[in-house]
Amino acid sequence: MPDDTYKTIVSDDESGFFENLSEYLNVLGNPTRLKILKLIENNPKDIREISGGIETSYENTKKHLDKLLRIGIIKKEAGMGKPTSKGIHAVWKYSTIPGGMELVARNIGNFCNMEIKNPDIQERLQNIRKMIDDEMAGDMPVLVLLGGEDDGRAYILKRNESKLGRYDPTAKGLFDEDSDIVLKDSYRAVTRVSKPHAVIFKDKEYWLIKDAGSAGGTFLNNHDLIKSSGAILKDGDMIDLGKGEGKATLVFHQKKSQNS
C-alpha cells in the first residue's frame, strides 16, 4: 500500500465533497460505462456505433453517455454519420477528453489514498479501481503506480519488452516514450530510464522483471532481485524501484487466463 506520506485525511462532515464523490463513483461504478470509455478512447463514435459496440439499446446507451458527460470525462462534437440510403446526416460524435482513461485511474487512485472513514465508499473505490485496471489493460498486462505524484496511473505493457526508469530530458531516442515506463523526476530513488533502472519483458508465456544494475535496487514482493537475473511475475505482484523516499511502487496486473 502507499506510504502514509501520501495520505490525505478527509473528515466526514465535508458533505459537499462526499456528495460529489458519491455521484462520481455511481457513474464510474457501472462496467458498461467503463466499456464505453475504452471504446471511444481513441476513435470518436456516434451513439449507434457505441450501442453496437457494447450491445445494448440506443436509449440505454444515451443514458450512459449523458451520465459520463455530466462528470466531464467525455465530450461530444458534431460529425458525419455513415452513409445510408437516405444520404449522410450530421450526428454527435462522442470521445473521451484527452488522457481520459488515465485521468479516471489517477482520480480513483487519489481518492483511494484519502483516509475516508466511510466503509461503503472505501469498498466502492477499491472495486472501481480493479475494474479500471481490467478495462485499461484489455488483453495486455498493466502496471499500476502506487504513491507519489502520479499515484493511480496505469502503464499498459504494449510490447514484449519495456524499460522502467525516471525521466531523462537529455536521453531522447534512448527510450520509447510509447512503450517504456517513464516516471516523473519526483521519484528520485529510481535510476533514469536511459540506464535503465529495470526491464520487464516477455519470455514465451511468462512476463519477467530484472534489475538493470540500478543503484537503489529492484524488489519483487520485498525480495531483492539479483542483478541481471529475471524473476517471473504473477498477477498482484508488487514491484519496488529503489528504497525509502522517492521510490516507486508498482503493482503488476494480468488477467488470470493469461497466467494459465
Side-chain angles (χ1 to χ4, degrees), residues 107-175:
N107 284 344
I108 294 299
N110 287 338
F111 291 138
C112 285
N113 267 350
M114 293 179 180
E115 196 172 295
I116 296 174
K117 298 177 182 178
N118 187 310
D120 176 62
I121 290 182
Q122 286 182 338
E123 182 179 1
R124 288 160 67 194
L125 279 167
Q126 295 300 331
N127 289 338
I128 292 171
R129 190 173 196 167
K130 178 66 164 57
M131 285 194 297
I132 289 172
D133 290 351
D134 285 339
E135 285 301 323
M136 290 191 73
D139 291 328
M140 294 180 286
V142 65
L143 290 173
V144 180
L145 183 62
L146 299 181
E149 183 178 357
D150 270 351
D151 177 72
R153 182 170 183 177
Y155 299 89
I156 300 171
L157 299 178
K158 301 176 182 179
R159 298 186 182 175
N160 288 343
E161 181 173 308
S162 295
K163 299 175 183 176
L164 287 77
R166 183 161 48 96
Y167 180 67
D168 186 348
T170 67
K172 292 292 185 181
L174 296 180
F175 62 91

Side-chain angles (χ1 to χ4, degrees), residues 186-240:
S186 56
Y187 296 93
R188 302 294 297 179
V190 180
T191 302
R192 291 193 181 276
V193 70
S194 52
K195 296 289 184 183
H197 189 112
V199 177
I200 187 168
F201 59 99
K202 189 174 185 180
D203 182 13
K204 298 180 181 178
E205 71 269 34
Y206 296 107
W207 283 91
L208 299 93
I209 185 168
K210 67 177 181 179
D211 186 86
S214 67
T218 302
F219 304 83
L220 179 62
N221 299 323
N222 295 319
H223 176 70
D224 191 357
L225 295 181
I226 300 172
K227 300 289 191 251
S228 301
S229 178
I232 294 175
L233 290 166
K234 302 182 297 298
D235 181 60
D237 278 349
M238 187 168 289
I239 300 163
D240 287 309

Side-chain angles (χ1 to χ4, degrees), residues 12-32:
D12 288 334
D13 59 3
E14 296 184 25
S15 58
F17 171 83
F18 282 111
E19 287 175 4
N20 291 334
L21 174 57
S22 182
E23 179 181 9
Y24 191 79
L25 298 181
N26 284 339
V27 173
L28 295 178
N30 186 301
T32 299

Side-chain angles (χ1 to χ4, degrees), residues 61-76:
T61 301
K62 188 176 187 308
K63 290 178 182 178
H64 288 310
L65 290 168
D66 287 343
K67 291 180 182 294
L68 291 168
L69 283 167
R70 191 166 64 242
I71 65 170
I73 295 299
I74 67 171
K75 61 182 180 179
K76 67 177 183 178

